């Protein structure tokens, strides 16, 4: 029973260790990814504002990583090996360490030896250690705050500034810096069917009792992304065809890294067709994976 209790205690005390290890890896990943994107964005966009924002984020990851490593070492030394001093790895964590988990060694140059001729006694005074994981972590976080404040002063909190920052990069690839909405309207008395060929887009059909015109709503991420045409069959009757054209190339290595710049948001992924409710049965919808909105 006692042995089982000890296993339970070790399991419970191991949970914070797992949490600290995950935190260390997460912050290290944030550091590496944010630093990579800071360099990539600066090369592609040439924007100091975007660079400082991501560079500051990388320093936040680095600072929290250092603080997390210190927390892990202190926990192992003061909690885990305090309870189980014979556990594997005790020699590494328990050998003369200070609060930051770094090895304390006597430095001959940093000692002040006071000799007493009568008693022949000596006194050793150690200089405080300033270069510790904790202090390094705090210093990195302070630097991160400076970068973030600088980026905010350059307009990083303004969405329009980000559109402006990526404008030249996107337009050079044949894309709009900001999507352009299109809202063509048609008379419901003349439309017989609507065919949509738009892979990777959601087709949403709305029957609206207050609508008087057939409306097709979508967003162009690049010029002529949607080709909307009429095919007449009779005097005034016609079918509508909506075709999404091929995207401009963005397959360079830096483009793959910044692929999010070319991805539509939740609204831009939709093609919304609004039809007057009275014409529900007279206008045919031809498309894959159609979603009919609730009335």
């Amino acid at each position: 029973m006692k042995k089982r209790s000890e296993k339970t205690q070790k399991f419970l005390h191991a949970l914070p260790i797992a949490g600290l290890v995950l935190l260390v890896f997460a912050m290290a990943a944030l550091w590496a990814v944010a630093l990579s994107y800071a360099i990539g964005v600066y090369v592609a966009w040439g924007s100091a504002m975007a660079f400082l924002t991501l560079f500051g984020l990388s320093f936040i990851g680095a600072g929290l990583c250092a603080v997390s490593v210190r927390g892990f070492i202190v926990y192992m030394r003061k909690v885990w090996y305090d309870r189980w001093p014979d556990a594997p790895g005790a020699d590494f964590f328990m050998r003369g360490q200070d609060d930051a988990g770094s090895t304390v060694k006597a430095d001959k140059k940093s000692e002040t030896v006071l000799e007493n001729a009568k008693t022949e006694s000596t006194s050793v005074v150690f200089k405080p250690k300033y270069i510790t994981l904790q202090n390094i972590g705090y210093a990195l976080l302070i630097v991160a705050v400076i970068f973030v404040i600088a980026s905010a002063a350059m307009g990083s909190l303004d969405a329009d500034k980000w559109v402006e920052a990526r404008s030249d990069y996107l337009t050079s690839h044949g894309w709009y810096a900001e999507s352009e909405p299109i809202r063509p309207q048609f008379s419901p008395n003349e439309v017989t069917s609507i065919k949509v060929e738009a892979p990777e887009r959601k087709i949403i059909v709305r029957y609206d009792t207050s609508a008087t015109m057939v409306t097709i709503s979508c967003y162009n991420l690049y010029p002529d992304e949607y080709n909307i045409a009429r095919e007449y069959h009779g005097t005034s009757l016609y079918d509508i065809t909506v075709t999404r054209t091929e995207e401009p190339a963005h397959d360079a290595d830096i483009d793959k890294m910044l692929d999010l710049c070319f991805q539509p948001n939740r609204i831009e992924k939709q093609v919304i067709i609004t039809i007057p409710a009275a014409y529900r049965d007279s206008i045919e919808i031809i498309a894959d994976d159609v979603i009919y909105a609730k009335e």
Side-chain angles (χ1 to χ4, degrees):
M1 188 72 178
K2 182 178 180 181
K3 186 175 181 181
R4 180 180 300 178
S5 176
E6 183 177 353
K7 287 184 177 180
T8 302
Q9 289 182 18
K10 283 188 173 182
F11 173 77
L12 294 176
H13 283 81
L15 292 178
I17 296 176
L20 286 168
V21 170
L22 288 175
L23 184 60
V24 169
F25 280 107
M27 293 302 101
L30 175 62
W31 176 19
V33 172
L35 181 59
S36 299
Y37 271 88
I39 297 173
V41 163
Y42 187 75
V43 171
W45 297 5
S47 171
M49 177 199 71
F51 172 77
L52 289 177
T53 301
L54 293 170
F55 201 52
L57 184 61
S58 73
F59 270 81
I60 291 176
L64 292 179
C65 182
V67 172
S68 302
V69 170
R70 175 189 178 275
F72 169 74
I73 294 174
V74 171
Y75 181 87
M76 294 297 293
R77 185 165 67 90
K78 292 188 175 182
V79 178
W80 184 266
Y81 290 112
D82 183 63
R83 290 176 174 270
W84 299 283
D86 297 329
D91 292 340
F92 175 77
F93 285 93
M94 298 303 291
R95 59 181 181 183
Q97 293 176 330
D98 61 7
D99 290 339
S102 57
T103 303
V104 175
K105 296 181 179 178
D107 187 348
K108 293 181 179 180
K109 294 182 179 180
S110 64
E111 297 178 358
T112 302
V113 181
L114 303 177
E115 298 182 357
N116 189 306
K118 295 182 179 180
T119 61
E120 296 182 355
S121 63
T122 60
S123 175
V124 179
V125 178
F126 292 95
K127 288 185 177 180
K129 295 179 69 68
Y130 295 105
I131 302 178
T132 64
L133 283 173
Q134 182 179 14
N135 291 341
I136 291 173
Y138 290 160
L140 290 171
L141 290 175
I142 291 173
V143 174
V145 170
I146 294 174
F147 281 128
V148 170
I149 292 175
S151 67
M154 299 178 71
S156 63
L157 300 180
D158 186 354
D160 292 336
K161 290 291 185 179
W162 286 95
V163 174
E164 180 182 346
R166 67 174 185 261
S167 177
D168 291 342
Y169 170 70
L170 289 176
T171 53
S172 67
H173 285 69
W175 293 66
Y176 291 134
E178 193 172 14
S179 61
E180 294 188 355
I182 54 175
R183 302 285 188 276
Q185 293 185 329
F186 308 90
S187 171
N189 295 317
E190 300 174 351
V191 178
T192 57
S193 70
I194 302 175
K195 182 179 181 180
V196 183
E197 298 178 353
E200 301 180 1
R201 293 294 185 265
K202 295 181 180 179
I203 314 303
I204 300 175
V205 177
R206 297 174 57 247
Y207 294 105
D208 190 349
T209 55
S210 61
T212 58
M213 300 289 287
V214 174
T215 306
I216 299 176
S217 304
C218 49
Y219 290 83
N220 279 337
L221 299 181
Y222 47 87
D224 300 323
E225 177 178 0
Y226 291 96
N227 183 10
I228 301 177
R230 306 181 189 184
E231 182 179 347
Y232 284 88
H233 53 85
T235 305
S236 60
L237 299 179
Y238 52 82
D239 299 322
I240 298 175
T241 302
V242 181
T243 306
R244 183 170 178 260
T245 60
E246 186 177 355
E247 297 180 353
H250 52 98
D251 50 7
D253 291 339
I254 191 68
D255 299 334
K256 294 176 181 178
M257 181 180 182
L258 302 177
D259 186 60
L260 285 176
C261 295
F262 304 97
Q263 297 302 315
N265 58 34
R266 182 178 60 85
I267 297 176
E268 293 167 346
K269 284 183 178 180
Q270 301 176 351
V271 176
I272 302 176
I273 302 172
T274 303
I275 300 174
Y279 294 85
R280 177 192 298 267
D281 299 326
S282 60
I283 299 178
E284 181 184 7
I285 303 297
I286 306 171
D288 296 329
D289 301 326
V290 178
I291 299 173
Y292 291 92
K294 294 182 179 179
E295 297 181 8

